[in-house]
């Protein structure tokens, strides 16, 4: 259990770039680090807290916006550990957050910041979990929200978003989602997700919300490995920052992806390139890589592991036999451990696998994103 002394709330004094360490005063930097952008790079920022006590997770104020997120169960899975060749396997059940995914941790500080800025609208691009979470917390914060999505968004996510009172806008494909968000931002809306190419990642206020997850994991015993389902690397980056602030050691962060993206970058490709692929793992799809994800792996001595749909479904079945029904993208974290453990590399090691979403939420329907034909409907301004 996380001790209260491990976490403090404080107003940030500014930002620092993850790539070049440029110090910036508080402001709005949707393009990420302006110096890196001028050099043709795309790098996110982190919040800086002046005078913060060492050994603590420091968070921005959430202005009372909460639905009871965090403090999710971490359970042991000895049978799966033995099968995967691990000494110990812990499963962090992030689907126990209020809207059913880890995204709730990010939504709280994001919506608090949006309200502090007096944003007239919160806008986001989402395939499911993020949109549901942001819609719920926008309702809690008393702010209007608009979620741009594609035809592949599952019906359950659509119903939830609309139940929270958010506007759902359907566009042709993933690229069109980001274009739509960009137009809204130009009109004064607050962007609650990435919308730029090359991809940068989410607003640093949101990423700060994931730092508490690092404290929760460490409170149960610092593991050797933490496996993280990964698309743009927001969760990965937040975990790195959290473990760094705690100062109790750094587990090896492993990013699991449905097809090679980060794996190709670590092998020498430019992170700003496009890495197309097909997958039914909707929550971690997409063709982009961010510097923040690459940075988290490098700083933690981590790596990227590919768990394709077949491997993720096998892990989903294994979890089901253990009484846990995970979203396909979440089950991929367990699939990655079977890949890593195949040659005995994890013998005697303790791994934590993040189960980021429940299969009950139907965030993956088994249809690859690229198999859905484009449509003509678009959101209007």
């Amino acid at each position: 259990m996380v001790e209260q002394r491990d976490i403090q709330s404080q107003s940030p004094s500014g930002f620092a770039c993850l790539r070049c360490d440029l110090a910036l005063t508080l402001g709005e930097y949707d393009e990420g680090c302006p110096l890196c952008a001028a050099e043709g790079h795309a790098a996110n920022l982190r919040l800086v807290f002046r005078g913060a006590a060492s050994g603590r997770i420091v968070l921005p104020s959430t202005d009372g916006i909460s639905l009871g997120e965090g403090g999710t169960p971490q359970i042991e899975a000895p049978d799966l550990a033995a099968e995967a060749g691990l000494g110990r396997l812990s499963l962090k059940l992030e689907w126990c957050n209020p809207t059913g995914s880890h995204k709730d941790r990010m939504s709280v500080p994001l919506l608090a910041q949006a309200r502090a800025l007096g944003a007239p609208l919160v806008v986001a691009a989402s395939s499911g979990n993020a949109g549901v979470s942001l819609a719920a917390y926008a309702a809690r914060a008393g702010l209007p929200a608009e979620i741009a999505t594609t035809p592949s968004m599952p019906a359950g996510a659509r119903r939830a978003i609309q139940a929270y009172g958010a506007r759902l806008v359907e566009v042709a494909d993933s690229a069109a989602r980001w274009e739509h968000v960009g137009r809204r931002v130009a009109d004064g809306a607050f962007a609650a997700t990435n919308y730029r190419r090359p991809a940068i990642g989410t607003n640093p206020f949101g990423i700060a919300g994931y730092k508490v997850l690092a404290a929760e994991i460490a409170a149960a015993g610092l593991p050797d490995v933490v496996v993280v389902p990964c698309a743009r690397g927001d969760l990965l980056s937040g975990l790195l920052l959290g473990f760094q602030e705690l100062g109790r050691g750094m587990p090896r962060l492993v990013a699991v992806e449905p097809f090679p993206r980060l794996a190709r970058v670590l092998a020498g490709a430019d992170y700003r390139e496009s890495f197309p692929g097909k997958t039914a793992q909707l929550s971690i799809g997409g063709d982009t890589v961010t510097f923040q994800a690459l940075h988290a792996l490098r700083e933690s001595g981590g790596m990227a592991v590919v768990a394709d749909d077949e491997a993720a479904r096998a892990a989903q079945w294994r979890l089901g036999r253990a009484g846990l029904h995970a979203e396909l993208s979440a089950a991929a974290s367990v699939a990655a451990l079977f890949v890593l453990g195949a040659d005995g590399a994890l013998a005697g090691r303790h791994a934590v696998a993040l189960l980021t979403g429940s299969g009950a939420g139907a965030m993956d329907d088994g249809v690859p994103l690229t198999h859905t034909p484009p449509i003509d409907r678009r959101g209007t301004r």
Side-chain angles (χ1 to χ4, degrees):
M1 182 176 181
V2 178
E3 300 287 342
Q4 192 59 43
R5 59 181 171 80
D6 291 334
I7 301 172
Q8 71 179 79
S9 180
Q10 183 178 322
S11 296
S13 57
F15 297 100
C17 175
L18 292 174
R19 178 175 174 269
C20 72
D21 290 324
L22 176 70
L24 295 162
T25 58
L26 287 178
E28 296 184 61
Y29 301 96
D30 277 357
E31 79 283 7
C33 173
L35 179 58
C36 287
E39 295 174 349
H41 284 274
N44 211 343
L45 307 172
R46 60 177 176 85
L47 295 178
V48 173
F49 299 87
R50 186 177 293 115
S54 61
R56 287 185 177 183
I57 297 289
V58 189
L59 302 174
S61 170
T62 56
D63 196 24
I65 300 170
S66 176
L67 290 168
E69 62 290 330
T72 56
Q74 183 168 304
I75 67 171
E76 299 304 303
D79 291 344
L80 279 173
E83 193 178 354
L86 282 158
R88 178 184 171 192
L89 173 58
S90 304
L91 303 173
K92 187 67 168 162
L93 307 186
E94 283 295 279
W95 64 52
C96 292
N97 281 300
T99 74
S101 84
H102 66 295
K103 298 289 187 179
D104 292 350
R105 296 179 185 269
M106 178 179 72
S107 293
V108 180
L110 274 178
L111 269 297
Q113 177 65 359
R115 193 160 72 177
L117 293 173
L121 176 70
V122 174
V123 64
S126 175
S127 60
N129 287 329
V132 172
S133 181
L134 289 164
Y137 283 86
R140 184 71 166 176
L143 292 174
E146 183 172 284
I147 310 299
T149 193
T150 66
S152 62
M153 176 180 273
R158 292 170 182 270
R159 288 192 296 269
I161 289 168
Q162 292 170 326
Y164 293 128
R167 181 170 184 245
L168 190 62
V169 177
E170 188 175 291
V171 296
D173 52 35
S174 294
R177 295 184 315 178
W178 287 3
E179 292 168 3
H180 179 86
V181 172
R183 290 193 295 271
R184 287 287 191 251
V185 170
D187 289 338
F190 178 89
T193 58
N194 181 84
Y195 66 94
R196 292 180 177 269
R197 293 184 76 100
I200 299 164
T202 297
N203 185 297
F205 278 86
I207 290 174
Y210 289 134
K211 294 192 294 186
V212 179
L213 180 54
E216 292 178 15
I217 291 171
L222 192 72
D224 299 296
V225 175
V226 178
V227 187
V228 187
C230 186
R232 251 65 64 191
D234 292 337
L235 177 55
L236 199 67
S237 184
L239 284 167
L240 175 76
L241 297 175
F243 285 120
Q244 286 177 331
E245 288 186 7
L246 278 176
R248 300 175 191 170
M250 179 63 67
R252 189 179 193 187
L253 299 178
V254 174
V256 56
E257 52 189 3
F259 48 84
R261 293 177 308 221
L262 274 166
R264 289 176 59 186
V265 173
L266 290 171
D270 192 316
Y271 73 93
R272 295 164 293 182
E273 294 178 12
S274 176
F275 304 92
K278 300 177 182 180
T279 184
Q281 300 174 59
L282 302 186
S283 294
I284 54 173
D287 65 347
T288 57
V289 166
T290 58
F291 178 83
Q292 67 179 7
L294 183 61
H295 175 72
L297 296 185
R298 286 173 172 168
E299 290 294 303
S300 69
M303 62 187 298
V305 174
V306 173
D308 62 20
D309 292 347
E310 182 180 357
R313 289 192 180 99
Q316 192 178 45
W317 182 89
R318 286 186 170 106
L319 284 163
R321 303 289 76 74
L324 300 164
H325 183 32
E327 175 187 340
L328 196 62
S329 303
S333 62
V334 172
L337 288 171
F338 276 81
V339 173
L340 288 174
D343 60 359
L346 297 179
R349 302 293 185 179
H350 175 203
V352 172
L354 301 184
L355 299 185
T356 47
S358 170
M363 291 302 173
D364 33 58
D365 58 8
V367 179
L369 289 170
T370 52
H371 284 190
T372 304
I375 59 174
D376 294 328
R377 287 172 286 165
R378 292 182 62 89
T380 56
R381 301 181 75 177

